[in-house]
Amino acid sequence: MKKHVALTLLAVTTLGVLNAHVDLPEIDGRRFVKVQEKLHDPIGWLEDRADSLLARCTQVHALGPALPDTELALAAIRSFSPPDSHSAQLRQLLAQGDWLLAEVSFDALSPAVVALRRQAGGMQVVDGAIWSGSTLPWRPAPLIRRHLQTQAPQMPQALLECFRPEDPLFQAR
């Protein structure tokens, strides 16, 4: 068989196999790669990698469990949506200036990411700047960051860039 015929046959066969097993569905204005009925988010993966490489986290601090700000943040979250929010447990708490970003889990609610801000009277949950629920089929970190940035545009960019979800329910599958 001639070389150009073999290469053409290989290209046609490869395209046929890809067409049979790979799809590029659009969901909410974004393209995904669907392989054997499983959705993948390559754009989210690229965003995740870029954020990991370019994040400027020197001004962002992780707060431990025994600090006053940690206790104030947890109290604000627990009182936000009672009675289910009373069981809030912090998975992580990041701070930059007057802004805090908390990842919390609950007994009866889905895990959540909550933006908080220090106020004169203590700590306050930022209205609307809460993510709760599934992120599938999107990669979790970029989707949650975009949502929080939209709801609280004045939040420091570095705080958002340095956030990495820890809860297994947020992890990309």
Side-chain angles (χ1 to χ4, degrees):
M1 183 180 301
K2 292 186 178 182
K3 191 174 189 175
H4 74 280
V5 174
L7 288 175
T8 303
L9 186 58
L10 177 63
V12 169
T13 303
T14 301
L15 290 174
V17 169
L18 286 175
N19 188 42
H21 296 284
V22 178
D23 194 15
L24 299 172
E26 184 176 330
I27 301 171
D28 291 336
R30 186 173 204 162
R31 289 277 178 200
F32 291 86
V33 176
K34 187 175 183 180
V35 180
Q36 296 180 346
E37 301 306 314
K38 185 175 180 184
L39 288 172
H40 301 276
D41 183 10
I43 296 169
W45 182 86
L46 288 171
E47 288 174 338
D48 231 358
R49 292 301 157 274
D51 285 341
S52 294
L53 293 172
L54 303 174
R56 303 170 313 262
C57 299
T58 56
Q59 297 178 6
V60 176
H61 307 285
L63 300 181
L67 297 173
D69 278 347
T70 303
E71 293 173 10
L72 288 171
L74 194 53
I77 293 167
R78 286 180 174 162
S79 66
F80 187 73
S81 178
D84 290 331
S85 62
H86 288 298
S87 67
Q89 296 295 314
L90 281 174
R91 295 188 67 82
Q92 67 172 314
L93 183 62
L94 302 175
Q96 182 182 2
D98 288 339
W99 287 87
L100 290 93
L101 198 54
E103 182 178 358
V104 292
S105 57
F106 303 92
D107 291 342
L109 300 173
S110 296
V113 179
V114 181
L116 300 113
R117 194 158 191 193
R118 282 188 204 96
Q119 303 287 325
M123 198 71 63
Q124 182 176 355
V125 173
V126 177
D127 207 21
I130 299 171
W131 176 272
S132 182
S134 175
T135 59
L136 293 177
W138 289 267
R139 297 281 298 192
L143 182 67
I144 294 169
R145 287 185 199 116
R146 267 194 308 278
H147 172 75
L148 294 173
Q149 182 68 54
T150 301
Q151 297 301 315
Q154 63 277 33
M155 184 184 304
Q157 187 65 31
L159 184 59
L160 288 169
E161 290 171 354
C162 297
F163 170 71
R164 305 273 177 276
E166 293 179 359
D167 193 296
L169 293 176
F170 286 138
Q171 298 306 310
R173 293 165 185 38

